[in-house]
Amino acid sequence: MAIVLSRVATFAIDGVEPRRVTVEVDIRPGLPAFTIVGLGDAAVRESRERIRSAILNSGFDFPQRRITANLAPASLRKAGPGFDAALALAVLGASEQVPAGTLERVAVFGELSLNGELRDSPGALVVAEGARRASKELWR
């Protein structure tokens, strides 16, 4: 398997302003691990388990490799489960289960249930405004 870096746009909410966040995922050979870096709160750190279950329960394979996800910029606090969908799609892009190039044209936002369904997430309107400003199509 070739090493593929996948990028997906999403937004953090800073007060009432959307701040663009780029979710980058790198998958490499090594002991299976899923690490998320980039100043995420507890809900972001817990998303690893929601993402793993959502991917598997949606009929995809969860990579049994070393997965590193970066939420950039690292200096911006990321809070809440709204990053789940972007992280999951970036994992699928990096593992070549969905076309990574397609993901770069959209912004993705939403919490995932364990079966892979999207849940409503607070701040969706602010995120939609950020996507509009960034000329991205919003997937939620």
Side-chain angles (χ1 to χ4, degrees):
M1 174 191 214
I3 296 172
V4 177
L5 179 68
S6 180
R7 290 183 183 91
V8 176
T10 190
F11 290 84
I13 300 168
D14 185 15
V16 295
E17 289 295 315
R19 303 283 183 225
R20 185 175 174 155
V21 173
T22 301
V23 176
E24 303 170 311
V25 169
D26 178 61
I27 299 178
R28 302 227 172 227
L31 292 175
F34 186 9
T35 305
I36 300 172
V37 297
L39 204 55
D41 71 353
V44 174
R45 290 189 303 273
E46 290 172 353
S47 70
R48 294 178 306 201
E49 301 310 318
R50 287 189 301 274
I51 292 164
R52 182 185 326 272
S53 292
I55 286 174
L56 290 170
N57 289 325
S58 295
F60 292 97
D61 294 322
F62 190 82
Q64 293 301 307
R65 301 169 73 85
R66 179 167 298 284
I67 302 167
T68 303
N70 180 40
L71 304 176
S75 60
L76 176 66
R77 272 196 197 283
K78 286 77 166 192
F83 298 96
D84 289 3
L87 283 160
L89 283 171
V91 167
L92 292 173
S95 62
E96 299 181 303
Q97 295 181 72
V98 299
T102 303
L103 298 175
E104 293 186 17
R105 296 191 307 251
V106 299
V108 180
F109 183 76
E111 177 183 356
L112 290 174
S113 69
L114 296 181
N115 68 1
E117 292 178 359
L118 278 175
R119 292 191 168 141
D120 288 337
S121 297
L125 187 59
V126 174
V127 170
E129 176 59 21
R132 185 194 64 77
R133 288 182 196 167
S135 298
K136 297 278 188 182
E137 180 180 332
L138 180 65
W139 285 3
R140 106 168 171 72

